[in-house]
Amino acid sequence: MMLTRNREVKEAILQYLIVIVIAIALTWIITPVAVLPVIIISLIFLLLFLYITKKRYLKLKELSMMIDEVLHGNDKVDFNDFNEGELSILQNEIKKMTIRLREQNEALISEKIQLSDSIADISHQLRTPLTSINLISSFLNEPELSEDRRLQLSRELNRLTSRIDWLVNSLLKLSKLDAGTAIFSKDEILVKSVVQKAYNLIAIPMELKGQEFCYQEEGAVRYVGDISWSMEAISNILKNCMEHTEVGGKLMVTAKETGIYTEIIIEDNGPGIELEDIPHLFERFYKGKNSSSDSIGIGLSLARKIIQEQNGTVKVENGIDCGAKFTIRFYKGVL
């Protein structure tokens, strides 16, 4: 290792030599017989300085090589312990940097796997309705098709395109939530208002099924959150309850506020949830035993994600009267 390629070392050696020359000159003037011991002592100090400096630079070179290994993908480098002050501090900082790089690398790999899985899920979910649309389009081109059959196929076409539209929008929202790019406002929300807006989205299907909707609250219940995202979450849960409740059934929403949280309970008087489905009900693309053929298994997953982003929790169980019971809590403090 060439110490002299380092500028600060060359400057230090030069300064040493100047001091030695001055010391020798002064000694020659004052006590000529002491010149030889002064030269010997000065050279010993110079050699000692060079030895210590070389040793220090070798350790720096060793650290540099370790960093180079980390940058080239070897995340299992074991940094040796340095007992000296500044080198020890540098070693600790490099260790922290290595751990951070390792965590970022693992997160990046995880995100790639998640993105790949999401693309595969989207592709799988879109394939079936797109195949049906292609078939319907070919049927509609048949010249001998009756008017009734044509209207029936048109309605089916509209249903499928609406389903694709809902699916794509839901998946995009989930992707935004997964990527952490969704923006949530923090407004004071009246629960009655957000539940009413969510109910309006399913009011017509509920009316067609002859189902009843009830809302009760204790006082003016409110919480801090984003009304648009909250409406999305609550409407998805209401929609799930509606789909699993018989014709003429009932959906009940109750709300209350405590000093710790705001609670919204959504219940139906349907057949309830199979016990084996309950632990998996919020998993993405999970379809329970009682789910309809149109169910995709994404609405409840999206709802839970939205609620969690607003410092909330949601759990599901079977109610006392056998219907499904969803309990949402928005907490006022950090969980």
Side-chain angles (χ1 to χ4, degrees):
M1 181 181 180
M2 293 294 293
L3 278 176
T4 51
R5 70 182 180 182
N6 299 294
R7 184 180 173 185
E8 64 273 15
V9 176
K10 287 194 290 186
E11 291 176 354
I13 292 173
L14 181 62
Q15 291 168 2
Y16 257 94
L17 290 173
I18 292 172
V19 171
I20 289 172
V21 169
I22 292 171
I24 292 171
L26 290 174
T27 306
W28 179 263
I29 294 169
I30 301 170
T31 313
V33 292
V35 170
L36 185 58
V38 169
I39 292 174
I40 293 172
I41 293 171
S42 299
L43 288 176
I44 290 173
F45 271 109
L46 179 60
L47 291 174
L48 188 61
F49 164 75
L50 291 174
Y51 171 75
I52 294 172
T53 305
K54 185 177 181 179
K55 191 177 175 184
R56 184 180 297 277
Y57 273 86
L58 282 174
K59 289 181 178 177
L60 288 173
K61 184 180 179 182
E62 188 181 346
L63 273 175
S64 175
M65 291 173 66
M66 290 177 178
I67 294 171
D68 187 62
E69 284 188 52
V70 172
L71 292 176
H72 285 82
N74 184 5
D75 61 352
K76 296 181 179 177
V77 174
D78 184 20
F79 289 90
N80 296 323
D81 290 330
F82 294 93
N83 295 324
E84 298 176 49
E86 294 302 325
L87 279 178
S88 178
I89 293 171
L90 178 61
Q91 178 205 16
N92 288 331
E93 293 301 318
I94 292 173
K95 274 186 177 178
K96 291 178 189 173
M97 182 194 71
T98 307
I99 292 170
R100 178 69 61 85
L101 287 174
R102 191 178 301 158
E103 290 174 349
Q104 288 178 345
N105 189 43
E106 289 172 355
L108 189 61
I109 292 171
S110 175
E111 286 177 8
K112 284 183 178 179
I113 293 172
Q114 195 173 27
L115 179 62
S116 175
D117 290 344
S118 295
I119 291 172
D121 288 337
I122 292 168
S123 174
H124 176 73
Q125 296 298 330
L126 290 177
R127 190 177 297 127
T128 303
L130 285 175
T131 302
S132 300
I133 286 174
N134 284 331
L135 285 172
I136 292 172
S137 298
S138 64
F139 291 152
L140 286 171
N141 289 327
E142 291 180 2
E144 297 177 354
L145 192 68
S146 68
E147 191 61 27
D148 289 342
R149 179 62 176 158
R150 192 181 301 280
L151 287 173
Q152 183 185 6
L153 290 174
S154 296
R155 283 195 292 270
E156 181 64 13
L157 199 60
N158 288 331
R159 188 185 69 80
L160 289 170
T161 52
S162 298
R163 182 183 176 189
I164 290 175
D165 182 60
W166 179 86
L167 175 61
V168 170
N169 282 326
S170 298
L171 290 171
L172 285 175
K173 288 171 185 173
L174 266 176
S175 299
K176 287 178 71 175
L177 291 169
D178 289 341
T181 57
I183 299 173
F184 286 80
S185 60
K186 292 185 178 180
D187 303 318
E188 191 173 85
I189 299 172
L190 287 172
V191 173
K192 185 177 182 179
S193 172
V194 72
V195 170
Q196 181 64 48
K197 289 177 186 292
Y199 164 70
N200 289 342
L201 297 176
I202 60 166
I204 293 177
M206 282 190 67
E207 186 178 346
L208 292 175
K209 293 183 73 172
Q211 293 174 337
E212 182 184 357
F213 177 79
C214 298
Y215 176 78
Q216 292 179 350
E217 65 178 7
E218 299 175 7
V221 184
R222 60 191 75 205
Y223 68 96
V224 175
D226 185 291
I227 190 165
S228 297
W229 283 107
S230 298
M231 185 178 66
E232 175 79 32
I234 293 171
S235 67
N236 281 345
I237 295 175
L238 285 175
K239 181 171 176 287
N240 183 276
C241 291
M242 176 199 70
E243 290 175 346
H244 293 88
T245 303
E246 303 295 334
V247 173
K250 182 177 179 180
L251 269 66
M252 168 73 78
V253 180
T254 56
K256 69 176 183 181
E257 184 177 354
T258 71
I260 301 173
Y261 55 78
T262 295
E263 184 178 80
I264 305 171
I265 296 176
I266 301 173
E267 298 175 274
D268 64 53
N269 63 349
I273 305 167
E274 294 287 339
L275 293 179
E276 61 191 83
D277 289 335
I278 288 178
H280 309 285
L281 209 61
F282 292 107
E283 292 177 7
R284 198 170 300 182
F285 301 115
Y286 181 80
K287 295 173 71 171
K289 284 189 173 181
N290 296 329
S291 60
S292 65
S293 58
D294 286 340
S295 174
I296 298 172
I298 197 172
L300 292 181
S301 173
L302 179 59
R304 181 176 66 170
K305 189 77 177 173
I306 292 171
I307 292 167
Q308 288 175 339
E309 290 290 333
Q310 297 180 93
N311 197 32
T313 60
V314 57
K315 72 172 183 178
V316 62
E317 59 192 334
N318 283 319
I320 298 174
D321 298 326
C322 285
K325 178 181 178 182
F326 292 86
T327 303
I328 303 168
R329 284 181 178 175
F330 293 104
Y331 288 86
K332 298 180 179 180
V334 178
L335 284 177

